[in-house]
Amino acid sequence: MGVFHLGELTVNQLIKEVQKKIGTPIDLQRIGELFKLACLLHDVGHAPFSHTGEGFYLGKDHDYTQIHNKLIETIGNEDFAKDIPKDSSSAAAPHEIMSAIIGISEYGKFFDGVEQKLLGEVCWRSLNRQ
């Protein structure tokens, strides 16, 4: 809930600043909703003791490549795929990568393609440790 709270504070302030300074024809409220949803879904991949059981998401070789490929496949966007390491990089914790996969897999139908990409980007960036 902490990530959601901080995300809500951030997006509300950002929307106020953008509208005050430049105004905009884009739907900032919808973008704000997507950002907050991504923040809320950020920990949906957590299982009990998830930090100690993260190897479960990686398989016997503890290789990130499969989980990265699953995330890329789930988002289904070429531009997004460029942001995800092709190797076994541990830029994000496995349970957090699963949060992005589960969030898009289970709730992606409520968003159009652009919104799914945005949701995926926010999930990935919020969990990217680099």
Side-chain angles (χ1 to χ4, degrees):
M1 293 304 293
V3 172
F4 174 78
H5 174 69
L6 293 175
E8 184 173 38
L9 292 174
T10 301
V11 80
N12 289 344
Q13 186 60 38
L14 182 62
I15 288 171
K16 272 196 249 179
E17 292 295 322
V18 168
Q19 287 175 336
K20 183 171 88 175
K21 290 183 179 174
I22 61 172
T24 181
I26 61 172
D27 187 358
L28 291 176
Q29 294 302 322
R30 181 66 176 164
I31 292 171
E33 288 173 9
L34 288 171
F35 184 81
K36 290 186 283 187
L37 283 171
C39 291
L40 191 60
L41 292 172
H42 143 122
D43 281 335
V44 78
H46 274 276
F49 310 108
S50 63
H51 292 284
T52 57
E54 289 190 333
F56 171 78
Y57 294 120
L58 300 176
K60 63 181 180 179
D61 296 330
H62 290 346
D63 182 13
Y64 279 71
T65 306
Q66 262 189 317
I67 199 169
H68 286 170
N69 289 339
K70 181 64 177 172
L71 179 60
I72 290 167
E73 175 189 323
T74 301
I75 300 299
N77 182 284
E78 215 174 281
D79 292 330
F80 178 79
K82 293 174 188 173
D83 288 343
I84 307 300
K86 301 288 186 257
D87 59 8
S88 190
S89 166
S90 59
H95 71 274
E96 293 177 336
I97 297 170
M98 284 305 299
S99 293
I101 292 168
I102 292 168
I104 295 295
S105 296
E106 295 301 315
Y107 303 105
K109 63 186 171 201
F110 297 108
F111 311 106
D112 67 25
V114 172
E115 292 175 339
Q116 282 187 12
K117 179 181 180 284
L118 177 62
L119 192 61
E121 287 284 348
V122 171
C123 286
W124 174 254
R125 301 246 182 249
S126 73
L127 28 113
N128 192 331
R129 294 180 179 168
Q130 293 178 340

